[in-house]
Amino acid sequence: MTTATTPLVDLFRVRFGEPQGDLLSVTVPARSEIAGNHTDHEGGDVIGGALDANVQAICAANGTSTVRVESVGYGGFEIDLADLAVLEAERETTASLARGMASELVATGRTPQGFDLIMQSSIPAGSGLSSSAAVELAFGRAMEALWEGDAIDPVTLAKMAQRTENNYFGKPCGLLDQLAEALGGLAHMSFADPETPATEKLALDFEEHGYALVLVNVGSDHSALTGEYAAVPGEMKAVAAAFGKERLCEVDPAAFDARVNELRRELGDRPVLRALHYWYENELVAKRWAALQAGDIEEFLALTRASGSSSAMYLQNVSVGGAPEQPAMVALGLAQRLLENDGAVRIHGGGFGGSIQAFVPLDRVDAFCTGMDGWFGQGASRHYRIVSEGAGYQWL
């Protein structure tokens, strides 16, 4: 019987009582999309960074066929492991993530067994830092450890989590979020082969080059805009389908150029613009990775600014069309004023509110955060560091 004590372990005992066996601790970092805005689902390249904010969980087997989950500050739920089918009533809920990951782990040959789990998150919800992917991976690592079976590598686990979000939660995400959090560190990922994405990690600290990574929560709940998010890959794939392909990575840009007028008539202008963004942004990812490998932070920042412009003008995921509120666009403009053409700012993650990303000179971080917090609320700005460890667990 474990005698470990931490605040979360104490909360576990308050909620579920004394565990029947050893306790398991699971930690999954948040992620920042450093480069590659909506390129992953089209077979493009991405740079992701695992952050020093995370989902932490404590769990233990409970001797039943039921999984009981408590999320600190959000309440709890239960799922019956005898029923792992997609439930329409669970769409866009945390319960769907637990049920989906259970289905994925059972498919590896494991025998499902009930357990109790309490989790807490330091990832701002709905801000585009992939709290949902972190929760999926936390469930996956917990089930991997608690249910006897072979170890699961980061790429395989990430693909399980992506399928869960696609099929159970109902969000057509790519693999960036899950893979960045499963791998940890600063990682370049290529999704040309969706079954075997190529990955490469780089040990680089932005602060050693004089800049801090700051993300600003702009106060618009990204989690409530699943439809707007889904339209991005949907429209990109509609362009690919016009060429008999599934993803834009399979389309010859020259063939696209030759049919622009036809595509505008048949699909509209926005899908055409989003396809243009894909090719432009994908080239920028390669250039930014090369700049980081060379330690050329100024070139990286210049290319990051170009990426931000492409997202705003072509991808158009900074504001919701027709809505008078444009918090992310306002945040980008104000952040640029504070930086005075130094550093870089861009929309972050899926877009549509959520958060913006800024690379801020170290000697201006406090003033930048104070200024942004004054406009968007105390604590809206947060200074992050890249962490090397991805989704993992340990027995206590």
Side-chain angles (χ1 to χ4, degrees), residues 95-311:
S96 73
L97 304 182
R99 196 179 303 274
M101 290 305 291
S103 175
E104 289 286 342
L105 270 291
V106 167
T108 69
R110 287 170 162 80
T111 300
Q113 302 174 61
F115 61 89
D116 298 326
L117 180 147
I118 189 165
M119 62 181 173
Q120 64 183 8
S121 175
S122 59
I123 306 172
S127 62
L129 305 190
S130 293
S131 57
S132 60
V135 170
E136 293 155 13
L137 294 169
F139 288 145
R141 284 297 188 215
M143 294 168 187
E144 173 191 13
L146 292 168
W147 303 348
E148 186 176 352
D150 294 336
I152 301 173
D153 66 88
V155 173
T156 299
L157 185 69
K159 290 164 66 177
M160 292 176 171
Q162 181 199 20
R163 288 193 294 267
T164 290
E165 189 147 348
N166 293 168
N167 301 326
Y168 282 76
F169 189 84
K171 182 176 179 180
C173 66
L175 190 58
L176 159 63
D177 299 351
Q178 292 85 356
L179 187 53
E181 293 178 350
L183 287 168
L186 191 67
H188 174 257
M189 298 163 274
S190 177
F191 298 102
D193 181 352
E195 293 305 312
T196 312
T199 65
E200 180 184 11
K201 294 178 71 170
L202 176 67
L204 181 141
D205 186 340
F206 288 108
E207 302 201 5
E208 291 181 358
H209 294 271
Y211 289 88
L213 172 61
V214 177
L215 299 175
V216 183
N217 187 335
V218 306
S220 176
D221 189 355
H222 156 108
S223 65
L225 298 168
T226 298
E228 286 77 6
Y229 175 94
V232 175
E235 291 180 5
M236 288 183 173
K237 292 182 187 304
V239 173
F243 294 87
K245 307 296 184 182
E246 292 187 5
R247 301 176 299 161
L248 286 176
C249 69
E250 303 163 7
V251 177
D252 181 356
F256 168 86
D257 292 347
R259 293 179 57 186
V260 164
N261 290 338
E262 174 191 340
L263 293 168
R264 291 180 65 194
R265 287 192 301 269
E266 294 182 356
L267 302 176
D269 282 350
R270 194 172 70 175
V272 170
L273 286 167
R274 286 175 165 170
L276 288 168
H277 164 81
Y278 165 75
W279 283 301
Y280 185 50
E281 175 74 346
N282 209 42
E283 287 184 9
L284 288 173
V285 173
K287 292 176 180 177
R288 276 177 278 177
W289 186 245
L292 290 175
Q293 289 179 309
D296 189 344
I297 195 67
E298 294 304 325
E299 175 68 4
F300 168 80
L301 293 173
L303 295 166
T304 297
R305 290 190 288 270
S307 168
S309 296
S310 182
S311 291

Side-chain angles (χ1 to χ4, degrees), residues 2 12 16 19-26 57-64 66-69 81 102 105-106 108-118 137-152 392-396:
T2 183
F12 179 96
F16 299 113
Q20 297 182 14
D22 287 341
L23 288 170
L24 182 75
S25 173
V26 180
I58 298 294
C59 52
N62 62 21
T64 74
T66 300
V67 173
R68 301 189 297 175
V69 175
L81 292 170
L105 270 291
V106 167
T108 69
R110 287 170 162 80
T111 300
Q113 302 174 61
F115 61 89
D116 298 326
L117 180 147
I118 189 165
L137 294 169
F139 288 145
R141 284 297 188 215
M143 294 168 187
E144 173 191 13
L146 292 168
W147 303 348
E148 186 176 352
D150 294 336
I152 301 173
Y393 67 83
Q394 62 176 347
W395 292 98
L396 300 180

Side-chain angles (χ1 to χ4, degrees), residues 19-39:
Q20 297 182 14
D22 287 341
L23 288 170
L24 182 75
S25 173
V26 180
T27 303
V28 183
R31 74 94 184 92
S32 178
E33 168 215 285
I34 303 299
N37 198 214
H38 281 281
T39 51

Side-chain angles (χ1 to χ4, degrees), residues 335-343 364:
Q336 190 65 54
R337 285 186 62 182
L338 290 175
L339 288 176
E340 298 176 324
N341 297 317
D342 200 352
R364 301 173 72 168

